Amino acid sequence: MTGGGAGDGPEAFVCGEVRTCLLQTSASLPRAEAVRLLRLRSDEAVRFSERPNLYAVSPEVLTGVDCALPAATGSRVRAVGTVRARAVLTEGRVLQATARFSSPASGPDRRLPWGHYLVRPGVVQPLGRLSVPDVAAGFLGARPAVPDRHAAATVDLGAIAERLLARVLGQPLLDRRAPFKSRRTMLRWFAVHAAAGQGPPTAEFTVAADGLRTLRISAGGLDAAEIAGFCEELALHDWLLTTLIRMIDRSRLGSTAGPEAVLALRPAVDHLLHLWMPGARTGAGPAPLWDGLERHPGFTRQWQTLVQRIRDQLALRAVPFGCEA
């Protein structure tokens, strides 16, 4: 524990939550409108790239927090600082909002003035010392459906990401006519910084109920930005896979006679299939994380099986996309 100093020790962990959904508009947004949608601050520009696909990133916004960190044992460790949040739009079609922060294992033993925390954006410092495994288990563990109003408030990254998502989706340039039905997914992640020499980064991915996924990462030398970028890309591909599975289920592919099932899958061909590019944006650092997830649970293997099933049906039915049944 530090004495009343700054508490600027090395980061012990970084954690976050990603919300992913279909943009509620009939056509994918071109570059100019994507920039308008994501202009969350007037003093910083929207970042945009066109390779390997259209990708726009909003400026970051900060949210101040002063509350307890979640802990599996129920221990109460107060923490103060700021949470980073940003919105990402892929191909003008899939919208994501991410909230995250980094934390050292120990901080000052008393609360410092806000100026101390504001010059450390995206860092939340505990008052005293915390147990990283206890916080990890508390952060990734199940949350009650109806919060106990008598329980101590804890940092809620999901609520921060959801507010940002609602802010973007509420803009008037969206016509609210999505081309197909889909559900939001939530990826809650926690990355522990491994000691030097402990090997490449690893990830443990879990699918939980109600659209929640959890991800526990051994960071293996990755920095917070690399980890956050990987988690956004994983959340995007998990949403694509989940959405395609639901579309195939609703279409009753293989059990419905005639072209109805194939026609029901036209939105997948028009809007989703070309978005599958795992690892295209995260670079070499997080590549071992993708390698592990491709072995188990095998994202691309399942995606390719589903896509081939759709293509086989298209070949069998020979239904032109440009015609109505």
Side-chain angles (χ1 to χ4, degrees):
M1 181 184 299
T2 60
D8 286 334
E11 295 176 352
F13 68 86
V14 56
C15 61
E17 189 157 333
V18 188
R19 302 289 173 101
T20 306
C21 70
L22 182 69
L23 193 66
Q24 296 301 296
T25 193
S26 54
S28 60
L29 293 189
R31 174 170 180 161
E33 291 189 356
V35 169
R36 286 175 53 202
L37 187 77
L38 299 184
R39 189 177 290 127
L40 302 180
R41 289 169 42 186
S42 59
D43 62 335
E44 189 172 337
V46 174
R47 292 187 290 117
F48 199 93
S49 67
E50 297 181 346
R51 301 290 185 274
N53 53 20
L54 300 178
Y55 180 78
V57 182
S58 78
E60 289 188 331
V61 293
L62 298 179
T63 300
V65 295
D66 183 350
C67 51
L69 293 174
T73 61
S75 63
R76 179 172 170 80
V77 177
R78 183 182 174 188
V80 186
T82 58
V83 172
R84 297 178 184 265
R86 73 178 189 179
V88 173
L89 186 64
T90 301
E91 279 291 326
R93 175 55 70 197
V94 184
L95 178 65
Q96 296 178 283
T98 299
R100 66 175 173 94
F101 69 85
S102 301
S103 175
S106 63
D109 56 10
R110 59 183 177 83
R111 191 192 186 287
L112 300 175
W114 265 116
H116 167 84
Y117 304 104
L118 291 177
V119 297
R120 295 162 176 81
V123 176
V124 173
Q125 295 179 335
L127 271 60
R129 184 171 294 276
L130 56 78
S131 166
V132 175
D134 191 22
V135 173
F139 186 77
L140 296 176
R143 312 283 175 85
V146 179
D148 182 355
R149 62 188 180 90
H150 299 294
T154 59
V155 176
D156 190 343
L157 297 182
I160 295 173
E162 190 66 30
R163 284 197 298 270
L164 181 57
L165 207 63
R167 176 180 171 183
V168 175
L169 289 173
Q171 296 195 37
L173 64 88
L174 304 179
D175 62 23
R176 310 295 187 274
R177 296 197 301 269
F180 57 89
K181 292 181 180 180
S182 64
R183 301 178 188 173
R184 296 183 186 182
T185 56
M186 302 167 284
L187 175 65
R188 188 176 297 153
W189 54 272
F190 194 99
V192 178
H193 289 285
Q198 287 192 355
T202 59
E204 179 183 343
F205 179 78
T206 302
V207 177
D210 301 323
L212 174 65
R213 287 85 168 96
T214 62
L215 183 68
R216 186 186 298 264
I217 298 174
S218 173
L222 299 178
D223 63 32
E226 287 179 305
I227 296 168
F230 165 76
C231 290
E232 286 173 345
E233 192 167 6
L234 173 60
L236 169 66
H237 287 81
D238 172 70
W239 181 87
L240 289 170
L241 182 58
T242 301
T243 301
L244 189 62
I245 291 170
R246 288 172 177 159
M247 292 177 74
I248 291 175
D249 288 344
R250 288 196 301 267
S251 74
R252 301 179 62 201
L253 189 64
S255 61
T256 300
E260 291 83 2
V262 175
L263 291 172
L265 291 169
R266 283 174 54 182
V269 179
D270 292 339
H271 302 288
L272 298 183
L273 299 191
H274 64 290
L275 298 182
W276 190 263
M277 298 182 187
R281 291 195 174 276
T282 48
L289 297 176
W290 277 116
D291 293 342
L293 292 173
E294 292 291 17
R295 289 191 297 271
H296 179 77
F299 281 94
T300 297
R301 182 168 59 247
Q302 186 176 10
W303 176 266
Q304 290 174 343
T305 299
L306 296 172
V307 171
Q308 188 59 52
R309 188 180 176 195
I310 293 172
R311 288 174 175 164
D312 289 344
Q313 288 293 320
L314 294 176
L316 180 65
R317 306 287 183 183
V319 178
F321 293 146
C323 302
E324 295 293 336

